[in-house]
């Protein structure tokens, strides 16, 4: 018997596997039992009604996909009345992902979503900050602090911060998020990319650029999880290219306390259940009685200094 429970700040999850925001919805109930998941994470909801970006919004790449969906949203009222209550059918914590255009809008939205049935707020601070010419909040430590401190003041729910891998110094952003009151970090959102159809000479995405996800990003994000886990005391949730239980193990060894699965669910809608089963099998085969013993258990013979870790980005 393997104990799959993990603690994420004040929350205890029955296992460390949950969906990545935007790749999961109530429709998945037809193909899996949400009761098996460590948590349910919703697609980011925004206070403003949004229709999303021009099509095509996704395209395949080698070992991954690009997306520029643009976060279509039916707003907070619809979310509170239709989406949150629907998840009450499962005994699984509901994590609500929130995006907004400004610090004030973000804090107000998180306050309005702090209602019964919501276990935690995941602030998607990888989205554009209109107070800073559209640069994502999590691109700068100062904007990260400003937005998370404003949210922290308006909700008593556990607050997770989802970081962007597009910043140059993810550890500095992680520290800013921790100092501003985040209870956990999600590392990370998608990596900015672009693909061109050489026959039409046009970008493959309607919005020209988009976010890369899937196995192609895994080594980059594993590295960021390793850096963040060494930089903060709060739990880190790894997210990027997880397809199997062993991929999840890799993230845990790098320092993650839990993982999120995104693109894999487009290939195989039941992928998260396979990841949970694979993780349990790995633990059983390696005589690991508690999955949380894997967190940060990577064996690094040549310990890198913080400075070297930072400079490694320049290589
Ligand atoms: C189609 C699609 C939509 C996404 N929508 C959101 C979103 O609404 N909010 C968010 O924080 N991340 C969003 N993401 C990013 C994922 O949550 C995740 O961070 C990223 O895809 C990396 O994980 P993966 O490689 O397992 O997919 C989206 C990703 C994809 C592919």
């Amino acid at each position: 018997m393997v104990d799959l429970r993990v603690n994420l700040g004040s929350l205890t999850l029955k296992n460390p596997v949950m969906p990545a925001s935007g790749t999961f919805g109530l429709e998945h109930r037809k193909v899996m039992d949400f009761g098996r998941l460590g948590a349910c994470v919703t697609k980011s909801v925004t206070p403003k009604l949004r229709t999303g970006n021009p099509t095509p919004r996704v395209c395949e790449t080698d070992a991954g996909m690009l997306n520029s969906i643009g976060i279509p949203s039916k707003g907070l009222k619809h979310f509170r009345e239709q989406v949150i209550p629907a998840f009450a059918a499962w005994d699984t914590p509901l994590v609500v992902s929130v995006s907004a255009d400004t610090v004030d809008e973000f804090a107000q939205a998180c306050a309005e979503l702090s209602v019964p049935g919501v276990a935690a707020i995941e602030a998607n601070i990888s989205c554009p900050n209109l107070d800073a010419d559209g640069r994502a909040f999590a691109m700068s430590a100062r904007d990260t602090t400003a937005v998370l401190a404003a949210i922290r003041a308006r909700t008593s729910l556990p607050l997770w911060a989802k970081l962007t891998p597009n910043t140059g110094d993810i550890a500095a952003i992680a520290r800013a998020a921790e100092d501003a009151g985040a209870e956990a970090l999600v590392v990370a959102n998608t990596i900015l990319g672009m693909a061109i159809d050489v026959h039409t000479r046009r970008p493959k995405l309607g919005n020209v650029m988009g976010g890369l996800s899937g196995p192609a990003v895994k080594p980059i994000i594993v590295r960021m999880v390793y850096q963040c886990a060494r930089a903060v005391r709060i739990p880190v949730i790894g997210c990027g290219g997880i397809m199997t239980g062993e991929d999840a193990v890799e993230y845990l060894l790098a320092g993650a306390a839990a993982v999120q699965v995104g693109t894999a669910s487009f290939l195989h809608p039941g992928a998260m259940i396979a990841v949970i089963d694979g993780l349990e099998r790995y633990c059983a085969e390696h005589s690991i009685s508690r999955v949380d013993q894997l967190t940060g258990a990577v064996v690094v013979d040549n310990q890198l200094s913080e400075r070297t870790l930072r400079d490694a980005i320049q290589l």
Side-chain angles (χ1 to χ4, degrees), residues 19-24 41-45 57-58 65-72 97-99 122-127 162-163 186-191 211-218 221 238-243 251 260-266:
S21 174
T23 65
F24 167 84
V41 183
T42 64
K43 170 144 188 81
S44 298
V45 60
R57 293 175 173 176
V58 295
M65 65 182 276
L66 282 169
N67 89 82
S68 179
I69 307 285
I71 314 191
S97 170
V98 185
S99 283
E122 181 178 291
N124 174 16
I125 58 170
S126 317
C127 65
K162 184 162 179 185
L163 306 189
V186 181
V187 179
N189 214 305
T190 50
I191 299 177
L212 182 66
S213 63
V217 307
K218 187 169 66 99
I221 310 298
C239 176
I242 295 172
M243 310 296 281
Y251 271 99
Q260 297 188 343
V261 178
T263 301
S265 297
F266 292 120

Side-chain angles (χ1 to χ4, degrees), residues 91-163:
D91 175 27
T92 299
L94 178 66
V95 180
V96 169
S97 170
V98 185
S99 283
D101 290 342
T102 65
V103 168
D104 291 344
E105 263 187 28
F106 230 127
Q108 176 66 23
C110 291
E112 288 181 35
L113 291 166
S114 297
V115 295
V118 178
I121 300 275
E122 181 178 291
N124 174 16
I125 58 170
S126 317
C127 65
N129 173 8
L130 297 193
D131 292 333
D133 277 343
R135 183 182 60 180
F137 294 91
M139 288 296 285
S140 109
R142 207 179 53 187
D143 295 348
T144 296
T145 303
V147 70
L148 292 175
I151 298 172
R152 186 66 294 169
R154 300 289 304 277
T155 177
S156 53
L157 284 176
L159 173 60
W160 300 358
K162 184 162 179 185
L163 306 189

Side-chain angles (χ1 to χ4, degrees), residues 286-307:
H286 293 79
S287 306
I288 293 159
S289 57
R290 288 175 22 210
V291 75
D292 62 5
Q293 292 167 336
L294 290 173
T295 295
V298 61
V299 180
V300 179
D301 295 325
N302 175 15
Q303 287 290 343
L304 298 172
S305 69
E306 274 292 308
R307 178 80 201 281

Side-chain angles (χ1 to χ4, degrees), residues 204-215:
K204 288 188 177 174
L205 291 177
N207 203 38
V208 184
M209 290 178 272
L212 182 66
S213 63

